[in-house]
Amino acid sequence: MRRHQYCLFICLLVCFFTGCAPKYQQFVAGYRTSATNSAPDYSQLYYWAAHPLKKDPSDSVPKPLQPGYAVDSSADVFFLYPTTLTDYGDTSWNASINDATINAKTDYSPILYQASAFNNFRVFSPRYRQAHIRAYFTKDTAAAKAAFDTAYQDIKTAFLYYRAHFNQGRPIIIASHSQGSTHAQRLLKEFFDDGPLSQQLVVAYVAGMYIPNNYFERLGSCQTPRQTGCICSWRTYKKEYEPDFVIKEKGSSLITSPLTWTNSSQYADRSLNEGSVLLNFNKIRTHVTDGQIHDGVLWIGGLHVPGGFLIRKKNFHIGDINLFYVNIRNDAKRRVELYKQGIAAGLTR
């Protein structure tokens, strides 16, 4: 009996958090991985994981959300995906932009399951020479910095190309997760923090990474659901779990709850969770988990899914977006509308 429960527990972890994407091997069969590590050419749609001018997984809409679905082409989302170069047998510091396996893994996991949360608007997501996951943990800080700089240079180049050829003055949402959020912070600081695009920023969803509350000069956390030109950031952990690095931060991180869209530390019941997307992309699970801000992170209780009582996971980093998928989707729609109302009224931030 004990062995049966253990096996079920492992399966649940794989299904809900590691295997949230369909198997991608079928998409790379017959392709040869290129060792070329040249910079991407963003004039070519191939170098965009998501783009309005091509059909890609970010266009997918969970079946329950399809009735009445339409794209509002008056606003853009620039989405930066998390690390998919995670094989420790790979000794490279950066992913090859032409690696078919990595690109398929990216397309059918974060682009499908995360970027799609924003597809009420035009979604742009550049492929970039992402840093290997080891860059976050290595003692070789020089190599790690170089890897992150290479990745950010691609993202900056892609953003400049997007701005010059596609944006045409539309309001912009920046969205990201994990490594994508590492780079999103730099992008926001360079272009939006009292920069040339500060008035075009609707909101930034920068999930899964620590953002020091003094990192920006003017940008800050969204404190209400009716605010624009601000940042929504959170990291998800099991209630009462405090990793050493969180303790050292002493609550110094920017944070907004994806359940209440405030900075309040008041407990948010799971009834406020409008829907999660887990293993089955076409199934919306409502009221999966609750949430409460604690010392710069988001604490959640148990997962209200079949077999959820067996999950003893403490770090829910992989579910930062998926657990709050519908809340994020609806919040983006609300803030775009508020932004438009503000522009129509001649208001500036």
Side-chain angles (χ1 to χ4, degrees):
M1 183 67 176
R2 184 173 299 173
R3 181 177 180 180
H4 171 74
Q5 288 181 334
Y6 175 77
C7 290
L8 178 59
F9 167 61
I10 295 300
C11 288
L12 284 168
L13 285 180
V14 171
C15 287
F16 287 123
F17 300 106
T18 305
C20 280
K23 291 185 181 300
Y24 59 87
Q25 286 83 353
Q26 59 181 308
F27 301 104
V28 299
Y31 288 84
R32 181 175 298 173
T33 298
S34 171
T36 303
N37 201 30
S38 56
D41 175 4
Y42 292 110
S43 68
Q44 304 297 315
L45 289 180
Y46 171 82
Y47 293 105
W48 293 87
H51 197 289
L53 296 181
K54 74 176 189 178
K55 183 68 176 176
D56 60 72
S58 76
D59 299 324
S60 303
V61 179
K63 191 172 181 179
L65 303 180
Q66 291 176 8
Y69 167 74
V71 177
D72 178 354
S73 60
S74 68
D76 291 345
V77 177
F78 196 79
F79 178 80
L80 303 179
Y81 54 81
T83 310
T84 51
L85 181 60
T86 57
D87 180 4
Y88 275 92
D90 188 331
T91 59
S92 58
W93 279 102
N94 291 88
S96 167
I97 204 69
N98 297 311
D99 187 317
T101 301
I102 291 296
N103 290 345
K105 183 178 180 182
T106 298
D107 293 352
Y108 293 95
S109 26
I111 298 301
L112 175 62
Y113 280 87
Q114 296 181 338
S116 66
F118 302 96
N119 65 18
N120 282 302
F121 309 102
R122 305 197 314 164
V123 178
F124 296 81
S125 184
R127 300 197 190 283
Y128 64 97
R129 290 171 293 175
Q130 58 179 284
H132 194 286
I133 189 77
R134 81 168 69 85
Y136 282 105
F137 308 106
T138 183
K139 294 181 180 179
D140 189 345
T141 55
K145 182 180 184 304
F148 285 125
D149 284 346
T150 294
Y152 179 70
Q153 187 56 52
D154 284 354
I155 287 168
K156 179 179 177 179
T157 300
F159 185 76
L160 289 171
Y161 190 88
Y162 151 78
R163 182 186 174 193
H165 295 87
F166 302 119
N167 176 248
Q168 298 176 323
R170 291 177 176 85
I172 301 171
I173 292 174
I174 300 296
S176 60
H177 184 241
S178 198
Q179 180 172 161
S181 292
T182 294
H183 305 306
Q185 294 180 52
R186 293 180 67 176
L187 193 74
L188 285 163
K189 190 171 183 66
E190 184 168 356
F191 291 97
F192 295 91
D193 188 23
D194 201 25
L197 300 180
S198 60
Q199 294 300 314
Q200 278 182 255
L201 182 67
V202 176
V203 63
Y205 299 95
V206 187
M209 279 293 167
Y210 171 63
I211 306 178
N213 55 21
N214 61 354
Y215 181 74
F216 297 105
E217 293 293 327
R218 296 188 62 182
L219 287 173
S221 288
C222 295
Q223 299 179 32
T224 79
R226 300 187 61 80
Q227 189 178 355
T228 60
C230 53
I231 298 172
C232 296
S233 179
W234 64 93
R235 293 169 291 164
T236 314
Y237 297 97
K238 185 69 179 291
K239 185 177 180 180
E240 298 183 356
Y241 176 58
E242 292 185 295
D244 289 342
F245 58 84
V246 170
I247 294 174
K248 291 177 182 178
E249 293 167 8
K250 298 180 180 178
S252 63
S253 177
L254 297 183
I255 184 167
T256 301
S257 167
L259 291 176
T260 64
W261 302 111
T262 72
N263 308 111
S264 171
S265 59
Q266 185 175 354
Y267 171 76
D269 187 78
R270 66 187 181 94
S271 62
L272 295 176
N273 192 321
E274 300 173 79
S276 306
V277 173
L278 302 177
L279 174 62
N280 185 346
F281 181 79
N282 281 311
K283 184 177 179 62
I284 300 294
R285 293 185 178 274
T286 57
H287 315 319
V288 166
T289 193
D290 54 7
Q292 185 171 19
I293 290 176
H294 175 82
D295 283 348
V297 299
L298 183 71
W299 272 358
I300 65 171
L303 299 184
H304 292 262
V305 295
F309 69 96
L310 292 174
I311 297 176
R312 299 292 181 263
K313 194 176 184 70
K314 294 182 178 179
N315 185 342
F316 287 88
H317 175 77
I318 197 168
D320 284 322
I321 290 178
N322 299 88
L323 288 171
F324 311 102
Y325 186 98
V326 178
N327 290 68
I328 295 168
R329 189 178 184 87
N330 290 339
D331 186 71
K333 291 169 64 177
R334 178 176 57 251
R335 292 189 201 264
V336 167
E337 184 57 33
L338 289 167
Y339 177 91
K340 291 178 181 178
Q341 291 173 9
I343 295 298
L347 301 176
T348 57
R349 297 185 303 279

